[in-house]
Amino acid sequence: MSPSSTKKPHLVVIGSGSGGLTAAIGLSRLGRRVVLVEAGDVGGDCTNLGCIPSKTLLDRSARFAATGRNAPGDAAAVLAEVRAARDAFRDHETVEVAELPGIDLVRGKGRLVDGGVEITGPDGTRRVECRRVVLATGSHPRRLDIAGLPDDRRLTNAEVFDLEAVPPRLAIVGGGAVGVEFATAFARLGTAVTLIEAGEQLLPGLLPEAAGLVAAELGDLGVDVRLGARAASWHDGMLALTGPDGRATAGAEVGADRVLLGVGRIPATADLGLAEVGVEVDEAGHIVVDERGRTTATGVWACGDATVEGRHHGTTHAANALGRRIVADIVSSGRLPGGWLHGGGRPLHPSATFGHPETARIGHQSPEPGPDVVRHRVDLAATDRGITDQVGAGVLIVDVRRLSGRIVGATIVGPRAAELVSIFALALRNDLPLHRFYGVVWPYPSHADAIGRVVDLHVAATAADPGGNARAWLAGRWRALRCRHVHHP
């Protein structure tokens, strides 16, 4: 559809990131006319500043490290190659979206108004009347104030890919996925990297054992991992650190030519006219949505980082998943049965970090599982494929309910972790007990064969002591009932 079309659209989508594109393309394929509003580059953060360039950087830096090159110009060439690949991907995506039938790509900033959307762009302001709007405005990186640090020394994912040269010394503040991935990439490119995390472990939410493996492997890569530390001030190339209590410790200084911040995201929900039309936001500005992406305003949906779901699952695949649920909800006018839509309630989201080593997890695992949960652990480095590939460190940890065999959660550290976790995502989505995997033929030798080993461990443990498993299960159920009674008398 051309921008000059006078047909009234079925809906307007504000934002062309993962969630917005999913909703716009999905609805256009189902016969809806869509106006897609974008103030920046098509593809949003993922295409331009996140997933695509960061994974390209990880791939190219791994290849660079494997060649043994060490000239500064060689490393700078890697950065240029990443930018070129990113730009080519974005240009292709932009043309592809602009040519899709049923979608009118309009450049400008959208704002909710009574009865539609007001769009302010290069050619002025226009009003589009519509009954349905999808908000997919994303987020932007949180900027941390560090005393004495000049702006030209401060980086986020919004600036790091514009670097013309690799910094000799890089301090990364934040030990989450962003910090771990950039620490991996720049260490491979020859930068002296310090990774600073205020908490007790990297990748908060990961099982401590798994996080410890990541820290150790990064250390072997040359990354100086500082846990329980905060960046306090910068002066003359040195970054001063303090402990969690704000007090300086002896020798708590690290060299830093640049400081990269990976300390969270802020939802891009300002100046959208949300309050005027009755869209509720939480205290941090995230749009409140239900499991189908519906906001508190009739005819307004939202997905991605701008939502409360994005606050807890700020990933491209989570935005994509909610975008799909919005498509189904709009097409069905809210009448789709929950089971057909997505199994009822909010689905479980796998998470993955593509650093060194790769990690992935899904479900709910506590450091110490309860008596009604059995934990199975397989050392990936000791598997046959782990031996052939010389895997330095890796683990598969699966928690399973006794007797029923239902999977509670899975954590993977090692090669292809993001692919392996998808098997558990499918099992959890379909409530498939672990013992139902018995008899599945796993390709040999493959990393997936480790799942077969976990299944064997579970079947053997269940068959060896059925009475003990039953007693442990009853103890766990009794404890759960008592806790429920205490909290809800």
Side-chain angles (χ1 to χ4, degrees):
M1 181 185 291
S2 68
S4 60
S5 173
T6 57
K7 287 185 177 181
K8 183 178 179 179
H10 289 101
L11 76 154
V12 173
V13 177
I14 302 178
S16 68
S18 175
L21 285 178
T22 298
I25 294 172
L27 287 162
S28 69
R29 286 174 175 168
L30 295 171
R32 272 59 174 179
R33 294 187 303 276
V34 180
V35 168
L36 177 60
V37 183
E38 177 54 61
D41 291 320
V42 169
D45 192 80
C46 178
T47 294
N48 300 283
L49 305 171
C51 306
I52 298 304
S54 66
K55 303 315 172 277
T56 305
L57 177 62
L58 284 163
D59 174 77
R60 302 303 190 272
S61 66
R63 298 184 190 185
F64 175 87
T67 65
R69 295 181 294 172
N70 55 19
D74 294 335
V78 172
L79 297 178
E81 184 180 348
V82 169
R83 283 192 295 274
R86 183 267 314 271
D87 293 348
F89 186 98
R90 178 192 61 217
D91 294 345
H92 171 78
E93 190 173 41
T94 301
V95 172
E96 189 175 48
V97 171
E99 293 179 349
L100 285 172
I103 294 182
D104 182 355
L105 177 60
V106 177
R107 298 293 186 170
K109 180 175 176 57
R111 177 182 172 84
L112 297 175
V113 293
D114 187 30
V117 174
E118 185 179 83
I119 304 171
T120 302
D123 300 324
T125 299
R126 59 181 284 195
R127 182 188 177 99
V128 178
E129 294 182 1
C130 62
R131 294 174 55 194
R132 297 177 177 89
V133 179
V134 177
L135 303 172
T137 50
S139 64
H140 50 84
R142 187 182 302 278
R143 296 183 182 274
L144 185 68
D145 288 330
I146 299 175
L149 182 66
D151 287 341
D152 61 352
R153 301 276 182 171
R154 190 192 323 265
L155 298 169
T156 68
N157 72 306
E159 299 91 18
V160 67
F161 296 108
D162 293 329
L163 288 174
E164 296 290 339
V166 173
R169 303 173 301 172
L170 177 66
I172 301 176
V173 181
V178 171
V180 167
E181 290 185 0
F182 279 119
T184 299
F186 279 98
R188 288 170 175 167
L189 292 175
T191 295
V193 178
T194 303
L195 181 56
I196 302 160
E197 166 57 39
E200 297 179 353
Q201 67 171 62
L202 297 179
L203 299 173
L206 199 65
L207 288 176
E209 175 187 355
L213 286 177
V214 174
E217 287 291 284
L218 284 174
D220 290 343
L221 195 62
V223 177
D224 181 6
V225 178
R226 302 290 185 100
L227 300 176
R230 298 178 184 272
S233 61
W234 184 93
H235 177 71
D236 197 22
M238 300 299 294
L239 185 66
L241 307 180
T242 65
D245 57 1
R247 297 180 180 178
T249 56
E253 278 192 339
V254 296
D257 301 298
R258 298 285 188 126
V259 178
L260 173 60
L261 304 177
V263 289
R265 313 279 301 180
I266 297 175
T269 55
D271 198 28
L272 285 177
L274 301 180
E276 289 84 344
V277 298
V279 174
E280 182 184 351
V281 298
D282 68 7
E283 70 282 359
H286 297 88
I287 300 170
V288 176
V289 295
D290 67 7
E291 63 205 33
R292 297 171 187 249
R294 294 175 292 194
T295 72
T296 51
T298 302
V300 181
W301 288 258
C303 59
D305 285 6
T307 69
V308 289
E309 184 164 299
R311 182 177 187 175
H312 304 291
H313 306 288
T315 62
T316 294
H317 51 271
N320 178 286
L322 187 50
R324 288 174 179 270
R325 304 205 298 277
I326 290 172
V327 169
D329 194 57
I330 290 176
V331 170
S332 69
S333 298
R335 293 190 297 270
L336 275 177
W340 187 92
L341 184 61
H342 51 78
R346 286 182 167 88
L348 288 171
H349 294 280
S351 65
T353 301
F354 299 87
H356 176 77
E358 194 169 303
T359 69
R361 63 185 177 92
I362 190 170
H364 307 287
Q365 293 177 286
S366 59
E368 297 295 333
D372 61 328
V373 174
V374 59
R375 173 163 290 174
H376 301 297
R377 182 189 186 282
V378 170
D379 182 357
L380 296 184
T383 63
D384 293 359
R385 186 55 186 266
I387 293 171
T388 62
D389 288 4
Q390 296 182 316
V391 173
V395 68
L396 169 59
I397 302 171
V398 184
D399 288 356
V400 187
R401 296 283 181 196
R402 297 183 186 271
L403 296 187
S404 70
R406 285 183 168 78
I407 298 168
V408 176
T411 295
I412 308 167
V413 179
R416 302 291 183 264
E419 276 74 27
L420 295 180
V421 80
S422 300
I423 297 173
F424 294 100
L426 182 63
L428 284 162
R429 167 68 173 77
N430 291 281
D431 200 21
L432 188 65
L434 188 62
H435 56 260
R436 292 287 299 277
F437 283 87
Y438 195 77
V440 171
V441 180
W442 307 96
Y444 179 88
S446 68
H447 294 298
D449 186 51
I451 299 176
R453 294 196 180 197
V454 165
V455 175
D456 290 345
L457 289 173
H458 179 69
V459 170
T462 302
D465 188 15
N469 278 289
R471 288 189 295 272
W473 180 85
L474 287 170
R477 293 296 86 199
W478 173 248
R479 187 176 70 170
L481 287 171
R482 289 191 63 187
C483 288
R484 189 176 307 167
H485 177 72
V486 169
H487 290 97
H488 303 283

